[in-house]
Amino acid sequence: MTFQFSATFPISGPNKLPRFKTWAETNVPGVAIHTPPQVPVKATAMTIRLKSDTDRQTVMGKLATAKL
């Protein structure tokens, strides 16, 4: 199965990928997530790839209350 669904969410500051990966391991451990290889420091958003729409809804629901 491929990562057919995407989710874009606001995130700013340095070390976006490590912060997001730590958050994902803690809050959505059963969801397979494909992250970009790098995100520029000046970027204010990040897009990830997910395998299903259900996974996307789960991640976006939990990200709504997260402080990354």
Side-chain angles (χ1 to χ4, degrees):
M1 184 185 282
T2 61
F3 293 90
Q4 298 179 357
F5 296 86
S6 65
T8 302
F9 56 92
I11 186 170
S12 60
N15 302 316
K16 291 172 186 67
L17 287 173
R19 285 189 289 141
F20 175 74
K21 287 179 181 181
T22 301
W23 177 87
E25 289 172 1
T26 304
N27 294 287
V28 286
V31 176
I33 298 172
H34 183 265
T35 58
Q38 61 185 6
V39 180
V41 172
K42 293 183 180 181
T44 58
M46 184 168 79
T47 301
I48 57 171
R49 305 285 295 173
L50 301 138
K51 288 189 175 188
S52 71
D53 188 44
T54 304
D55 290 346
R56 182 187 182 286
Q57 291 175 2
T58 301
V59 170
M60 293 306 286
K62 293 199 179 215
L63 275 172
T65 60
K67 293 186 179 186
L68 291 174

